[in-house]
Amino acid sequence: MATSRTTAAGRALAYLESARNLTGSAAALVGLALTFTGVAGPYWPVVVGGLYGAGALLAPPSRPPAPEFEEPSSRLDELRADLATLRAYLDRVDLPPVARDRLTGLTGLLDGLLAPGWVSDALAEDPEGVHVLARAVRRDVPESVDAFVRTRWWTRLTPGARAPEEELERQVALLHAEAQALVDGLRETEELRQRSHTKYLEDRGGGVPPVGRPPEP
């Protein structure tokens, strides 16, 4: 019972503070002013009530605040931490020089994409690109390296089989190509943005001749 009374009191207080009540009360004050000046006459209660209702209806409805979500770029923080964990893991693995160099190049490329700044901000706006990086960091690279370690042990027992180093190098090359394609896509987006701005400036009719072309006499 006490809870329902508290709830009712809260709703009443919320209405008293609402824009509807404040606007309606302001309109009702205008009606009272008309009453005191004799304009409303004997119908002043109807005039005051009508103005209050009209004001309450014209007032903007209450609007709950929109939820605030984290910025897209902040979602990459966890992925940056996972990349640091991946690098620490790779440092502990005994890798052949060629594969290590290629993995270093791959992780360097991923780190460049994830480094805080305008590049990672652009990446954050590309959900598919974020998915590609997350998949590489959290699944593809660890799986490739772990499979190499396990397979290498078996090939030592069965000489003559295909060298697992070759398979690892092939996998890393494919992952690097996938990351490079993501870089190329982001670069093309920026180039398109630049060309669009050039087109916008040209359409404004500035009258400036293209670069490298002398103005006509």
Side-chain angles (χ1 to χ4, degrees):
M1 182 68 69
T3 302
S4 61
R5 291 177 180 175
T6 303
T7 304
R11 286 198 297 266
L13 180 61
Y15 179 77
L16 291 175
E17 297 175 347
S18 67
R20 288 184 180 274
N21 181 58
L22 295 177
T23 306
S25 298
L29 289 176
V30 175
L32 289 177
L34 294 176
T35 299
F36 292 142
T37 58
V39 176
Y43 301 103
W44 68 268
V46 177
V47 173
V48 172
L51 288 175
Y52 176 86
L57 290 176
L58 292 175
S62 60
R63 181 180 62 85
E68 296 183 1
F69 300 104
E70 61 181 354
E71 293 295 326
S73 58
S74 65
R75 302 173 190 172
L76 299 179
D77 292 340
E78 185 176 348
L79 189 52
R80 294 186 185 104
D82 291 341
L83 178 58
T85 301
L86 175 63
R87 279 180 156 172
Y89 162 71
L90 295 177
D91 289 340
R92 299 194 305 268
V93 179
D94 180 19
L95 294 169
V98 175
R100 180 169 296 281
D101 290 343
R102 291 188 176 181
L103 281 168
T104 300
L106 174 60
T107 55
L109 184 58
L110 299 179
D111 186 62
L113 287 168
L114 290 173
W118 66 269
V119 174
S120 63
D121 290 342
L123 173 65
E125 300 298 332
D126 180 10
E128 180 60 28
V130 174
H131 173 70
V132 169
L133 258 66
R135 183 177 58 194
V137 171
R138 294 168 177 164
R139 189 184 69 185
D140 292 338
V141 174
E143 173 62 23
S144 294
V145 174
D146 186 60
F148 161 75
V149 173
R150 289 183 281 113
T151 306
R152 181 175 56 178
W153 185 85
W154 286 106
T155 55
R156 288 173 179 173
L157 298 179
T158 56
R162 181 176 179 180
E165 291 83 357
E166 297 178 5
E167 200 71 32
L168 176 62
E169 292 168 10
R170 174 59 177 161
Q171 292 173 358
V172 176
L174 291 171
L175 291 172
H176 193 283
E178 189 176 48
Q180 187 61 52
L182 177 58
V183 172
D184 295 341
L186 293 174
R187 187 197 69 242
E188 290 173 1
T189 299
E190 293 301 326
E191 291 175 347
L192 178 60
R193 178 183 178 186
Q194 185 185 33
R195 290 195 298 269
S196 297
H197 188 58
T198 301
K199 184 66 167 58
Y200 161 72
L201 294 176
E202 292 175 345
D203 291 343
R204 280 191 353 195
V208 179
V211 176
R213 180 184 302 174
E216 297 180 0

